[in-house]
Amino acid sequence: MLNLVVFGPPGCGKGTQSSRIAENFGLVHLSTGEILRHEIRKATVLGRKVEIFIQKGLLVPDMLILRKFYQIALRHIHSRGLVFDGFPRTVHQAKILDKMLAKKGMPITLVIAMVVDAEELFRRLKGRAEDSGRCDDNEEVFHERMKVFDRQTKPLYDYYNKQNKIVYINGMRPVNVVFNEIARTIESFINKRENAPRQV
Ligand code: AMP
């Protein structure tokens, strides 16, 4: 099983790259942002509760998001692997994910950290704001999401560095170039894993 986490600041391209990775390697793309937006569109109880947090650019509290996340992740536990896009977003969530996967004996394989500078993120947001239809794609909320990323998500670099699982990908280049590098990185990881001497 191949379990990947793709993470980075808002607008780094993690959604686009995650869906291409999933398609290319036959994995399930699990985007928590998409799951929540779907709930909002369907005006479910959960959707109504999370909408206000998303509109403000804040993280949805764990007590609202975790049950849904488990439900969907566990549904795909027998697939070839999962691409986690937007989860974890805090060290607490990362620990929960590690525990959940450890129980199933299939830990996170690789963490792909997309690196894009603040100026470029802002430029992309402005381009995206007009046609994405997302309630959190506007300048004010973008700044809040950046702050949330700095405060709550950045500690994940350290968390996954300590586990020796993180690879940094320069996300400032065209989508195809970025994807090709990610794909090469994943393939080389798979080759190494397959050629590693088996433990007896
Ligand atoms: P994204 O599509 O990944 O940019 O996520 C959009 C919004 O959904 C975020 O700004 C949060 O409000 C919410 N969200 C997505 N994933 C999570 C998560 N793992 N924990 C809390 N909130 C989340």
Side-chain angles (χ1 to χ4, degrees):
M1 199 165 181
L2 194 63
N3 287 321
L4 308 169
V5 169
V6 180
F7 93 107
C12 68
K14 67 182 165 54
T16 307
Q17 296 298 339
S18 296
S19 88
R20 291 195 61 174
I21 296 167
E23 196 183 326
N24 196 72
F25 291 92
L27 310 173
V28 174
H29 178 193
L30 203 158
S31 156
T32 42
E34 257 318 308
I35 292 167
L36 297 172
R37 282 188 289 277
H38 179 73
E39 295 292 318
I40 294 173
R41 281 195 297 273
K42 282 178 51 189
T44 61
V45 174
L46 177 64
R48 285 199 294 271
K49 286 185 184 162
V50 301
E51 191 168 16
I52 186 76
F53 296 96
I54 297 187
Q55 276 171 352
K56 290 185 178 168
L58 302 173
L59 293 189
V60 170
D62 283 351
M63 60 178 285
L64 292 179
I65 199 177
L66 285 180
R67 184 202 285 252
K68 191 79 194 167
F69 174 76
Y70 278 129
Q71 241 178 30
I72 296 182
L74 292 177
R75 202 186 293 159
H76 296 291
I77 221 75
H78 299 298
S79 64
R80 290 188 62 188
L82 290 137
V83 184
F84 295 99
D85 160 11
F87 196 100
R89 262 185 155 90
T90 61
V91 169
H92 183 241
Q93 288 184 354
K95 287 182 180 167
I96 287 172
L97 182 61
D98 279 350
K99 251 194 216 159
M100 180 184 99
L101 296 177
K103 270 194 205 152
K104 304 282 170 190
M106 32 173 237
I108 293 292
T109 334
L110 210 58
V111 176
I112 296 162
M114 309 276 298
V115 183
V116 178
D117 70 30
E119 245 173 66
E120 171 68 10
L121 292 173
F122 188 56
R123 202 184 57 75
R124 287 183 189 180
L125 173 272
K126 279 187 162 164
R128 197 166 88 166
E130 277 162 26
D131 45 30
S132 80
R134 278 177 56 161
C135 62
D136 55 354
D137 267 348
N138 62 66
E139 203 172 320
E140 195 185 325
V141 179
F142 171 79
H143 290 303
E144 191 54 43
R145 289 166 72 203
M146 284 298 283
K147 275 193 224 156
V148 167
F149 179 79
D150 284 344
R151 264 197 312 260
Q152 294 177 265
T153 308
K154 263 192 179 165
L156 284 179
Y157 290 112
D158 213 30
Y159 182 80
Y160 285 123
N161 258 326
K162 282 188 185 139
Q163 294 190 2
N164 225 353
K165 287 191 173 161
I166 201 161
V167 286
Y168 294 91
I169 300 287
N170 172 1
M172 304 274 289
R173 300 161 298 165
V175 173
N176 279 341
V177 178
V178 175
F179 176 70
N180 289 341
E181 189 185 334
I182 294 176
R184 274 199 306 274
T185 308
I186 296 172
E187 274 154 15
S188 104
F189 182 87
I190 295 173
N191 289 339
K192 262 193 228 149
R193 188 166 74 173
E194 280 170 2
N195 294 327
R198 302 219 176 271
Q199 297 205 334
V200 277

